[in-house]
Amino acid sequence: MTTRQAFCRFAAVAAGLLLLGGWDARPVRAEHHLDFTLYNKSYKSIYAIYVTPASSAVWGRDVLGRDVLFRGESTRITFPGQSPNSPCLWAVKIVYSDGTSAQQRFNRCQSSQVFAR
């Protein structure tokens, strides 16, 4: 499956879940409420960042926006086309330079910062 096909599949699943009410669709503040800053507080470099609604089993595309996020650096992750009804609960998967990965959930309606440790 190509990256484009995977992304289209993810979008279709996400739209279906939203219509079924499976996401936390509480209205929130600003139109950019999903955007967040990821801080690399780990001792490794980050090679990829994947973000998906917490209720989804499908990871989207790499949203890092650059090749490497070195330790101590941060990057802003933005989501164009979001709406006030976008879900609050999200999951992030971080892939490190040594091939290991870590996953965590976060509530974007409560914080605009995510820390990789």
Side-chain angles (χ1 to χ4, degrees), residues 50-106:
Y50 302 93
V51 180
T52 191
S55 61
S56 177
V58 179
W59 292 103
R61 62 180 175 79
D62 176 14
V63 296
L64 181 55
R66 55 196 256 190
D67 292 335
V68 178
L69 184 66
F70 296 102
R71 66 182 187 176
E73 293 184 335
S74 65
T75 189
R76 186 79 175 152
I77 307 295
T78 60
F79 294 88
Q82 54 189 292
S83 78
N85 292 325
S86 296
C88 290
L89 300 177
W90 289 80
V92 64
K93 178 180 178 181
I94 299 165
V95 180
Y96 296 101
S97 56
D98 64 0
T100 61
S101 65
Q103 296 180 27
Q104 65 186 52
R105 291 180 177 228
F106 61 99

Short mmCIF file of all heavy atoms in Angstrom, two decimals, residues 50-106:
data_model
loop_
_atom_site.label_atom_id
_atom_site.label_comp_id
_atom_site.label_asym_id
_atom_site.label_seq_id
_atom_site.Cartn_x
_atom_site.Cartn_y
_atom_site.Cartn_z
N TYR A 50 4.39 10.44 14.10
CA TYR A 50 3.09 10.08 13.54
C TYR A 50 2.02 10.46 14.55
O TYR A 50 2.18 10.23 15.74
CB TYR A 50 3.01 8.59 13.24
CG TYR A 50 4.08 8.13 12.28
CD1 TYR A 50 5.29 7.62 12.74
CD2 TYR A 50 3.88 8.22 10.90
CE1 TYR A 50 6.28 7.20 11.85
CE2 TYR A 50 4.87 7.82 10.01
CZ TYR A 50 6.06 7.31 10.50
OH TYR A 50 7.03 6.91 9.62
N VAL A 51 0.93 11.05 14.07
CA VAL A 51 -0.14 11.50 14.94
C VAL A 51 -1.47 10.98 14.40
O VAL A 51 -1.70 11.00 13.18
CB VAL A 51 -0.17 13.04 15.02
CG1 VAL A 51 -1.28 13.52 15.93
CG2 VAL A 51 1.18 13.58 15.47
N THR A 52 -2.33 10.53 15.30
CA THR A 52 -3.64 10.03 14.90
C THR A 52 -4.62 10.26 16.04
O THR A 52 -4.21 10.36 17.20
CB THR A 52 -3.57 8.52 14.54
OG1 THR A 52 -4.78 8.12 13.92
CG2 THR A 52 -3.32 7.67 15.76
N PRO A 53 -5.92 10.37 15.74
CA PRO A 53 -6.89 10.41 16.83
C PRO A 53 -6.72 9.18 17.72
O PRO A 53 -6.44 8.09 17.22
CB PRO A 53 -8.24 10.41 16.12
CG PRO A 53 -7.94 10.97 14.77
CD PRO A 53 -6.56 10.48 14.43
N ALA A 54 -6.90 9.33 19.02
CA ALA A 54 -6.67 8.22 19.96
C ALA A 54 -7.57 7.03 19.66
O ALA A 54 -7.21 5.90 19.97
CB ALA A 54 -6.88 8.71 21.39
N SER A 55 -8.71 7.25 19.04
CA SER A 55 -9.64 6.16 18.76
C SER A 55 -9.30 5.40 17.48
O SER A 55 -9.94 4.41 17.16
CB SER A 55 -11.06 6.71 18.66
OG SER A 55 -11.14 7.64 17.61
N SER A 56 -8.30 5.84 16.75
CA SER A 56 -7.94 5.22 15.47
C SER A 56 -6.82 4.20 15.64
O SER A 56 -5.93 4.38 16.47
CB SER A 56 -7.51 6.29 14.47
OG SER A 56 -7.09 5.69 13.26
N ALA A 57 -6.86 3.16 14.84
CA ALA A 57 -5.79 2.16 14.84
C ALA A 57 -4.84 2.38 13.68
O ALA A 57 -3.91 1.61 13.49
CB ALA A 57 -6.40 0.76 14.75
N VAL A 58 -5.05 3.43 12.91
CA VAL A 58 -4.25 3.70 11.71
C VAL A 58 -3.41 4.96 11.93
O VAL A 58 -3.94 6.01 12.27
CB VAL A 58 -5.17 3.90 10.48
CG1 VAL A 58 -4.34 4.18 9.24
CG2 VAL A 58 -6.06 2.68 10.27
N TRP A 59 -2.09 4.81 11.75
CA TRP A 59 -1.20 5.97 11.84
C TRP A 59 -1.20 6.70 10.51
O TRP A 59 -1.20 6.08 9.46
CB TRP A 59 0.22 5.55 12.18
CG TRP A 59 0.33 5.01 13.57
CD1 TRP A 59 0.43 3.71 13.93
CD2 TRP A 59 0.29 5.76 14.79
NE1 TRP A 59 0.46 3.60 15.30
CE2 TRP A 59 0.39 4.84 15.85
CE3 TRP A 59 0.19 7.12 15.08
CZ2 TRP A 59 0.39 5.24 17.18
CZ3 TRP A 59 0.20 7.51 16.41
CH2 TRP A 59 0.29 6.58 17.43
N GLY A 60 -1.20 8.01 10.55
CA GLY A 60 -1.11 8.82 9.34
C GLY A 60 0.32 8.89 8.84
O GLY A 60 1.17 8.08 9.17
N ARG A 61 0.60 9.91 8.06
CA ARG A 61 1.94 10.10 7.51
C ARG A 61 2.85 10.74 8.55
O ARG A 61 2.40 11.28 9.55
CB ARG A 61 1.87 10.95 6.26
CG ARG A 61 1.35 12.35 6.50
CD ARG A 61 1.29 13.18 5.22
NE ARG A 61 0.69 14.46 5.45
CZ ARG A 61 1.31 15.51 6.00
NH1 ARG A 61 2.56 15.43 6.35
NH2 ARG A 61 0.68 16.65 6.18
N ASP A 62 4.14 10.71 8.27
CA ASP A 62 5.14 11.35 9.12
C ASP A 62 4.92 12.86 9.06
O ASP A 62 4.91 13.45 7.99
CB ASP A 62 6.54 10.98 8.63
CG ASP A 62 7.65 11.67 9.39
OD1 ASP A 62 7.40 12.24 10.47
OD2 ASP A 62 8.79 11.62 8.91
N VAL A 63 4.72 13.49 10.22
CA VAL A 63 4.44 14.93 10.27
C VAL A 63 5.61 15.74 10.82
O VAL A 63 5.44 16.92 11.15
CB VAL A 63 3.16 15.23 11.11
CG1 VAL A 63 1.93 14.62 10.46
CG2 VAL A 63 3.32 14.77 12.55
N LEU A 64 6.79 15.12 10.90
CA LEU A 64 7.94 15.83 11.46
C LEU A 64 8.24 17.12 10.71
O LEU A 64 8.56 18.13 11.31
CB LEU A 64 9.17 14.92 11.51
CG LEU A 64 10.44 15.52 12.09
CD1 LEU A 64 10.21 16.08 13.50
CD2 LEU A 64 11.55 14.49 12.11
N GLY A 65 8.16 17.08 9.39
CA GLY A 65 8.38 18.30 8.63
C GLY A 65 9.84 18.62 8.36
O GLY A 65 10.16 19.63 7.75
N ARG A 66 10.74 17.79 8.81
CA ARG A 66 12.17 17.93 8.56
C ARG A 66 12.80 16.56 8.74
O ARG A 66 12.14 15.62 9.17
CB ARG A 66 12.80 18.97 9.48
CG ARG A 66 12.55 18.69 10.95
CD ARG A 66 12.82 19.87 11.81
NE ARG A 66 14.08 19.72 12.52
CZ ARG A 66 14.47 20.52 13.47
NH1 ARG A 66 13.73 21.54 13.84
NH2 ARG A 66 15.61 20.34 14.08
N ASP A 67 14.07 16.43 8.44
CA ASP A 67 14.70 15.11 8.48
C ASP A 67 14.91 14.58 9.89
O ASP A 67 14.65 13.42 10.17
CB ASP A 67 16.05 15.15 7.74
CG ASP A 67 15.86 15.34 6.24
OD1 ASP A 67 14.79 14.98 5.73
OD2 ASP A 67 16.80 15.84 5.61
N VAL A 68 15.41 15.42 10.77
CA VAL A 68 15.78 14.97 12.12
C VAL A 68 15.45 16.06 13.13
O VAL A 68 15.66 17.25 12.87
CB VAL A 68 17.30 14.66 12.20
CG1 VAL A 68 17.69 14.23 13.60
CG2 VAL A 68 17.70 13.61 11.19
N LEU A 69 14.95 15.65 14.29
CA LEU A 69 14.77 16.56 15.42
C LEU A 69 15.76 16.12 16.49
O LEU A 69 15.58 15.10 17.15
CB LEU A 69 13.33 16.49 15.95
CG LEU A 69 12.99 17.48 17.05
CD1 LEU A 69 13.04 18.92 16.52
CD2 LEU A 69 11.61 17.18 17.62
N PHE A 70 16.83 16.86 16.62
CA PHE A 70 17.89 16.50 17.56
C PHE A 70 17.45 16.74 18.99
O PHE A 70 16.53 17.52 19.25
CB PHE A 70 19.16 17.30 17.25
CG PHE A 70 19.74 16.99 15.90
CD1 PHE A 70 19.56 17.85 14.83
CD2 PHE A 70 20.45 15.80 15.70
CE1 PHE A 70 20.09 17.55 13.58
CE2 PHE A 70 20.97 15.49 14.46
CZ PHE A 70 20.79 16.37 13.38
N ARG A 71 18.11 16.05 19.93
CA ARG A 71 17.75 16.21 21.34
C ARG A 71 17.89 17.68 21.74
O ARG A 71 18.79 18.39 21.27
CB ARG A 71 18.58 15.31 22.22
CG ARG A 71 20.03 15.63 22.25
CD ARG A 71 20.77 14.64 23.13
NE ARG A 71 22.14 15.10 23.26
CZ ARG A 71 23.02 14.53 23.99
NH1 ARG A 71 22.71 13.47 24.68
NH2 ARG A 71 24.24 15.01 24.06
N GLY A 72 16.96 18.12 22.54
CA GLY A 72 16.94 19.51 22.98
C GLY A 72 16.22 20.46 22.05
O GLY A 72 15.95 21.59 22.41
N GLU A 73 15.89 20.00 20.85
CA GLU A 73 15.17 20.86 19.89
C GLU A 73 13.67 20.66 20.02
O GLU A 73 13.20 19.71 20.63
CB GLU A 73 15.60 20.54 18.46
CG GLU A 73 17.02 20.90 18.14
CD GLU A 73 17.38 20.64 16.68
OE1 GLU A 73 16.75 19.78 16.02
OE2 GLU A 73 18.31 21.31 16.21
N SER A 74 12.92 21.55 19.39
CA SER A 74 11.47 21.44 19.33
C SER A 74 11.01 21.76 17.92
O SER A 74 11.75 22.36 17.14
CB SER A 74 10.81 22.39 20.33
OG SER A 74 11.08 23.73 19.98
N THR A 75 9.80 21.34 17.61
CA THR A 75 9.20 21.64 16.31
C THR A 75 7.71 21.84 16.49
O THR A 75 7.09 21.23 17.36
CB THR A 75 9.50 20.53 15.28
OG1 THR A 75 9.07 20.97 13.99
CG2 THR A 75 8.80 19.23 15.61
N ARG A 76 7.15 22.71 15.68
CA ARG A 76 5.71 22.98 15.71
C ARG A 76 5.03 22.05 14.71
O ARG A 76 5.43 21.98 13.55
CB ARG A 76 5.45 24.44 15.34
CG ARG A 76 4.02 24.85 15.49
CD ARG A 76 3.70 25.13 16.94
NE ARG A 76 2.34 25.64 17.02
CZ ARG A 76 1.58 25.50 18.08
NH1 ARG A 76 2.04 24.90 19.14
NH2 ARG A 76 0.37 25.98 18.09
N ILE A 77 4.02 21.32 15.16
CA ILE A 77 3.24 20.43 14.31
C ILE A 77 1.90 21.11 14.06
O ILE A 77 1.20 21.48 15.01
CB ILE A 77 3.01 19.06 14.98
CG1 ILE A 77 4.33 18.43 15.44
CG2 ILE A 77 2.22 18.15 14.07
CD1 ILE A 77 5.29 18.07 14.33
N THR A 78 1.57 21.32 12.79
CA THR A 78 0.32 22.01 12.45
C THR A 78 -0.60 21.10 11.66
O THR A 78 -0.16 20.20 10.96
CB THR A 78 0.59 23.29 11.64
OG1 THR A 78 1.27 22.93 10.44
CG2 THR A 78 1.44 24.27 12.43
N PHE A 79 -1.89 21.34 11.80
CA PHE A 79 -2.92 20.57 11.14
C PHE A 79 -3.85 21.52 10.38
O PHE A 79 -4.77 22.09 10.96
CB PHE A 79 -3.75 19.77 12.16
CG PHE A 79 -2.96 18.71 12.85
CD1 PHE A 79 -2.24 18.99 14.00
CD2 PHE A 79 -2.92 17.43 12.34
CE1 PHE A 79 -1.50 18.01 14.64
CE2 PHE A 79 -2.18 16.44 12.97
CZ PHE A 79 -1.48 16.73 14.11
N PRO A 80 -3.62 21.72 9.08
CA PRO A 80 -4.52 22.58 8.31
C PRO A 80 -5.89 21.92 8.16
O PRO A 80 -6.01 20.70 8.19
CB PRO A 80 -3.82 22.72 6.96
CG PRO A 80 -2.88 21.58 6.88
CD PRO A 80 -2.54 21.17 8.28
N GLY A 81 -6.91 22.73 8.03
CA GLY A 81 -8.25 22.21 7.77
C GLY A 81 -8.97 21.68 9.00
O GLY A 81 -9.98 21.01 8.88
N GLN A 82 -8.50 22.00 10.19
CA GLN A 82 -9.18 21.54 11.39
C GLN A 82 -10.41 22.38 11.67
O GLN A 82 -10.57 23.47 11.14
CB GLN A 82 -8.23 21.56 12.57
CG GLN A 82 -7.56 22.90 12.77
CD GLN A 82 -6.47 22.82 13.80
OE1 GLN A 82 -6.76 22.62 14.96
NE2 GLN A 82 -5.23 22.98 13.39
N SER A 83 -11.29 21.85 12.48
CA SER A 83 -12.51 22.58 12.83
C SER A 83 -12.67 22.60 14.34
O SER A 83 -12.01 21.83 15.05
CB SER A 83 -13.73 21.91 12.19
OG SER A 83 -14.09 20.75 12.92
N PRO A 84 -13.56 23.44 14.85
CA PRO A 84 -13.78 23.48 16.30
C PRO A 84 -14.30 22.15 16.85
O PRO A 84 -14.25 21.91 18.04
CB PRO A 84 -14.82 24.58 16.48
CG PRO A 84 -14.67 25.43 15.28
CD PRO A 84 -14.27 24.50 14.16
N ASN A 85 -14.81 21.27 15.98
CA ASN A 85 -15.33 19.98 16.43
C ASN A 85 -14.34 18.84 16.28
O ASN A 85 -14.69 17.68 16.46
CB ASN A 85 -16.61 19.64 15.67
CG ASN A 85 -17.74 20.57 16.05
OD1 ASN A 85 -17.84 21.00 17.20
ND2 ASN A 85 -18.57 20.92 15.10
N SER A 86 -13.09 19.15 15.95
CA SER A 86 -12.06 18.11 15.85
C SER A 86 -11.88 17.47 17.23
O SER A 86 -12.05 18.12 18.24
CB SER A 86 -10.75 18.72 15.37
OG SER A 86 -10.88 19.22 14.06
N PRO A 87 -11.49 16.20 17.27
CA PRO A 87 -11.38 15.50 18.55
C PRO A 87 -10.26 16.08 19.42
O PRO A 87 -9.30 16.66 18.92
CB PRO A 87 -11.06 14.06 18.15
CG PRO A 87 -10.45 14.18 16.80
CD PRO A 87 -11.12 15.35 16.14
N CYS A 88 -10.38 15.87 20.72
CA CYS A 88 -9.37 16.34 21.66
C CYS A 88 -8.31 15.29 21.96
O CYS A 88 -7.16 15.63 22.18
CB CYS A 88 -10.04 16.74 22.98
SG CYS A 88 -11.03 18.24 22.87
N LEU A 89 -8.70 14.03 21.97
CA LEU A 89 -7.78 12.97 22.37
C LEU A 89 -7.02 12.43 21.17
O LEU A 89 -7.61 11.95 20.21
CB LEU A 89 -8.54 11.84 23.07
CG LEU A 89 -9.29 12.27 24.33
CD1 LEU A 89 -10.07 11.09 24.90
CD2 LEU A 89 -8.34 12.85 25.36
N TRP A 90 -5.68 12.50 21.26
CA TRP A 90 -4.80 12.10 20.16
C TRP A 90 -3.71 11.18 20.67
O TRP A 90 -3.41 11.14 21.86
CB TRP A 90 -4.18 13.34 19.51
CG TRP A 90 -5.20 14.10 18.74
CD1 TRP A 90 -6.12 14.97 19.25
CD2 TRP A 90 -5.44 14.05 17.34
NE1 TRP A 90 -6.91 15.46 18.24
CE2 TRP A 90 -6.52 14.91 17.06
CE3 TRP A 90 -4.84 13.36 16.30
CZ2 TRP A 90 -7.01 15.10 15.78
CZ3 TRP A 90 -5.33 13.55 15.02
CH2 TRP A 90 -6.41 14.41 14.77
N ALA A 91 -3.10 10.46 19.75
CA ALA A 91 -1.94 9.61 20.06
C ALA A 91 -0.79 10.05 19.17
O ALA A 91 -1.00 10.46 18.03
CB ALA A 91 -2.26 8.15 19.82
N VAL A 92 0.41 9.97 19.70
CA VAL A 92 1.60 10.31 18.93
C VAL A 92 2.57 9.14 19.03
O VAL A 92 2.72 8.53 20.09
CB VAL A 92 2.24 11.63 19.41
CG1 VAL A 92 2.74 11.53 20.84
CG2 VAL A 92 3.36 12.07 18.50
N LYS A 93 3.17 8.82 17.90
CA LYS A 93 4.21 7.79 17.84
C LYS A 93 5.49 8.46 17.39
O LYS A 93 5.53 9.11 16.35
CB LYS A 93 3.82 6.69 16.86
CG LYS A 93 4.87 5.60 16.71
CD LYS A 93 4.40 4.55 15.72
CE LYS A 93 5.43 3.47 15.50
NZ LYS A 93 4.96 2.47 14.52
N ILE A 94 6.54 8.29 18.17
CA ILE A 94 7.83 8.91 17.90
C ILE A 94 8.82 7.81 17.56
O ILE A 94 8.96 6.84 18.32
CB ILE A 94 8.29 9.73 19.11
CG1 ILE A 94 7.28 10.84 19.40
CG2 ILE A 94 9.68 10.28 18.89
CD1 ILE A 94 7.41 11.47 20.75
N VAL A 95 9.50 7.96 16.43
CA VAL A 95 10.52 7.00 16.02
C VAL A 95 11.88 7.65 16.20
O VAL A 95 12.15 8.72 15.64
CB VAL A 95 10.32 6.55 14.55
CG1 VAL A 95 11.39 5.56 14.14
CG2 VAL A 95 8.92 5.95 14.36
N TYR A 96 12.72 6.98 16.98
CA TYR A 96 14.04 7.52 17.31
C TYR A 96 15.11 7.04 16.33
O TYR A 96 14.90 6.09 15.56
CB TYR A 96 14.42 7.13 18.73
CG TYR A 96 13.52 7.73 19.77
CD1 TYR A 96 12.51 6.99 20.36
CD2 TYR A 96 13.66 9.07 20.15
CE1 TYR A 96 11.67 7.55 21.31
CE2 TYR A 96 12.83 9.63 21.09
CZ TYR A 96 11.83 8.86 21.67
OH TYR A 96 11.00 9.43 22.59
N SER A 97 16.26 7.66 16.40
CA SER A 97 17.38 7.38 15.48
C SER A 97 17.87 5.94 15.57
O SER A 97 18.39 5.41 14.59
CB SER A 97 18.54 8.34 15.77
OG SER A 97 18.93 8.25 17.12
N ASP A 98 17.69 5.29 16.70
CA ASP A 98 18.15 3.91 16.84
C ASP A 98 17.10 2.88 16.41
O ASP A 98 17.28 1.69 16.59
CB ASP A 98 18.61 3.63 18.27
CG ASP A 98 17.48 3.75 19.29
OD1 ASP A 98 16.33 4.06 18.90
OD2 ASP A 98 17.75 3.55 20.49
N GLY A 99 15.98 3.35 15.85
CA GLY A 99 14.93 2.45 15.37
C GLY A 99 13.86 2.13 16.39
O GLY A 99 12.83 1.55 16.05
N THR A 100 14.07 2.51 17.65
CA THR A 100 13.04 2.27 18.66
C THR A 100 11.95 3.32 18.52
O THR A 100 12.14 4.37 17.87
CB THR A 100 13.63 2.33 20.09
OG1 THR A 100 14.18 3.64 20.30
CG2 THR A 100 14.69 1.26 20.29
N SER A 101 10.80 3.05 19.12
CA SER A 101 9.71 4.02 19.06
C SER A 101 8.99 4.07 20.40
O SER A 101 9.12 3.16 21.22
CB SER A 101 8.72 3.66 17.94
OG SER A 101 8.08 2.43 18.21
N ALA A 102 8.26 5.13 20.60
CA ALA A 102 7.46 5.31 21.81
C ALA A 102 6.13 5.92 21.40
O ALA A 102 6.06 6.70 20.45
CB ALA A 102 8.19 6.23 22.78
N GLN A 103 5.09 5.53 22.12
CA GLN A 103 3.76 6.06 21.85
C GLN A 103 3.21 6.66 23.13
O GLN A 103 3.48 6.18 24.22
CB GLN A 103 2.83 4.95 21.37
CG GLN A 103 3.23 4.34 20.06
CD GLN A 103 2.28 3.24 19.63
OE1 GLN A 103 1.12 3.23 20.00
NE2 GLN A 103 2.78 2.30 18.85
N GLN A 104 2.44 7.72 22.97
CA GLN A 104 1.76 8.32 24.10
C GLN A 104 0.47 8.98 23.63
O GLN A 104 0.34 9.34 22.46
CB GLN A 104 2.65 9.31 24.84
CG GLN A 104 3.03 10.54 24.02
CD GLN A 104 4.03 11.42 24.76
OE1 GLN A 104 5.04 10.95 25.22
NE2 GLN A 104 3.73 12.70 24.86
N ARG A 105 -0.46 9.11 24.53
CA ARG A 105 -1.72 9.82 24.25
C ARG A 105 -1.67 11.18 24.92
O ARG A 105 -1.02 11.35 25.94
CB ARG A 105 -2.90 9.02 24.79
CG ARG A 105 -3.14 7.76 24.04
CD ARG A 105 -4.31 7.01 24.61
NE ARG A 105 -4.55 5.83 23.80
CZ ARG A 105 -5.73 5.47 23.36
NH1 ARG A 105 -6.79 6.18 23.66
NH2 ARG A 105 -5.87 4.40 22.62
N PHE A 106 -2.39 12.12 24.33
CA PHE A 106 -2.46 13.44 24.93
C PHE A 106 -3.78 14.09 24.57
O PHE A 106 -4.41 13.76 23.58
CB PHE A 106 -1.27 14.32 24.52
CG PHE A 106 -1.16 14.58 23.04
CD1 PHE A 106 -1.61 15.76 22.50
CD2 PHE A 106 -0.59 13.64 22.20
CE1 PHE A 106 -1.51 16.01 21.14
CE2 PHE A 106 -0.47 13.87 20.84
CZ PHE A 106 -0.94 15.06 20.31
#
